[in-house]
Amino acid sequence: NRKQGNLCSSGASNEVAVTAFLDGRIAFTDIAKVNDCVLQSTELTTLQDIPAVLEADSQARQMAMNFVRVEAL
């Protein structure tokens, strides 16, 4: 199911964004911006196994962290 990749990326980016908000690094409204940025940058793929899920999660977290750094400047 190609939606799995989006769900994985969405969950991972949201965790990063909410943590950044709670740490005072981004505004509340930036949470949606981070999530949108990651989802727009995520290629829709079918996640066939656990390593693929972990890789999608890792990539989404990295993208979200990069976006948070830019927003926090």
Side-chain angles (χ1 to χ4, degrees):
N1 183 328
R2 290 174 45 149
K3 292 181 183 178
Q4 294 169 333
N6 269 359
L7 290 174
C8 182
S9 296
S10 177
S13 67
N14 196 57
E15 287 180 19
V16 170
V18 169
T19 298
F21 165 70
L22 293 175
D23 290 345
R25 293 183 287 144
I26 62 172
F28 178 76
T29 54
D30 290 333
I31 294 172
K33 291 178 186 176
V34 171
N35 291 332
D36 185 55
C37 175
V38 171
L39 289 177
Q40 294 298 324
S41 302
T42 301
E43 184 178 330
L44 289 176
T45 60
T46 300
L47 303 176
Q48 297 289 344
D49 51 26
I50 297 298
V53 171
L54 295 174
E55 180 62 24
D57 180 90
S58 177
Q59 288 178 359
R61 287 176 191 279
Q62 187 60 50
M63 281 189 274
M65 286 187 273
N66 290 340
F67 190 77
V68 165
R69 279 190 206 103
V70 169
E71 286 297 305
L73 295 178

